Amino acid sequence: MNNGACVVSAPDFPAVARRVIVLCCRQLIRVMLIAGMGIAGIGLAQADTGNGSGHATRAAPGPERVALEFYSWYLARLAANQDPLADQPALMAKYVAKALLKEIKKKMESADGLNADYFIQAQDYSDGWLGAVFVSNLQINGNSATAQLVLGRLEPDVYRLSLKMLLEQGTWKILAVARRAR
């Protein structure tokens, strides 16, 4: 006798359990997105595309991931004696706001030029920064964000920067970089 209870046969249990877990995860992701929490680091915008397929959709990387990717790539280019700004403008445009690229170009063409590399706020990088890029104190306010960037693991190689970022056409980009004290 069933008495209205849900009865699942043993062979069907794993499939039912997986379906319940998937549905719960989808609901949790929706709640997090509605609350504006985002899902840092996993790159998922939502678990359901709305077409019933259940396939995840890719979201643009968050500001933390953009900063980490950019500085890891940028420092590797400097270590390879390349000039990322001149040699790879398409990749620079992927990570850097149009307004900042325009500002840097204007400064480079001016009589004074640039006294230091804009993105590291120094004339040279340290080998201790390679593979040691850390983001902290990320604050997101609508379409803008700020973060603290630390390059290097141990003193005296530790170097600190402040980043301002902008959500430009659906993609987080670096808008300003400043050196910061400890």
Side-chain angles (χ1 to χ4, degrees):
M1 179 182 251
N2 187 333
N3 294 336
C6 179
V7 177
V8 178
S9 65
D12 292 337
F13 181 75
V16 171
R18 278 194 306 273
R19 182 73 181 144
V20 168
I21 291 169
V22 167
L23 292 173
C24 290
C25 288
R26 285 182 186 165
Q27 188 61 31
L28 178 60
I29 290 169
R30 285 186 186 111
V31 168
M32 290 174 70
L33 290 170
I34 290 168
M37 295 168 64
I39 305 169
I42 64 171
L44 293 179
Q46 57 186 30
D48 190 349
T49 61
N51 63 11
S53 71
H55 292 111
T57 58
R58 290 267 175 213
E64 178 179 19
R65 183 167 166 200
V66 168
L68 289 170
E69 284 180 7
F70 172 75
Y71 275 92
S72 296
W73 167 78
Y74 191 82
L75 291 169
R77 299 290 54 84
L78 294 179
N81 291 320
Q82 295 178 1
D83 179 358
L85 197 57
D87 298 342
Q88 297 182 319
L91 271 173
M92 290 297 294
K94 175 183 175 183
Y95 294 111
V96 181
K98 290 177 188 178
L100 178 55
L101 288 172
K102 186 176 177 179
E103 178 185 329
I104 291 170
K105 183 178 178 183
K106 185 178 177 181
K107 284 182 183 178
M108 289 173 64
E109 293 172 350
S110 73
D112 294 336
L114 286 174
N115 294 327
D117 182 298
Y118 180 85
F119 295 100
I120 59 173
Q121 298 286 302
Q123 293 190 355
D124 203 2
Y125 74 98
S126 169
D127 286 332
W129 299 349
L130 298 171
V133 178
F134 307 97
V135 175
S136 65
N137 299 333
L138 176 66
Q139 305 267 327
I140 300 173
N141 187 8
N143 288 341
S144 64
T146 58
Q148 305 301 312
L149 188 79
V150 176
L151 305 175
R153 286 188 175 89
L154 302 171
E155 296 291 347
D157 281 333
V158 174
Y159 195 79
R160 295 167 178 83
L161 298 168
S162 293
L163 301 180
K164 290 183 182 176
M165 300 181 76
L166 173 71
L167 190 57
E168 186 176 87
Q169 296 178 336
T171 303
W172 285 101
K173 296 190 178 190
I174 297 169
L175 181 62
V177 180
R179 174 105 192 258
R180 69 179 176 97
R182 294 178 185 249

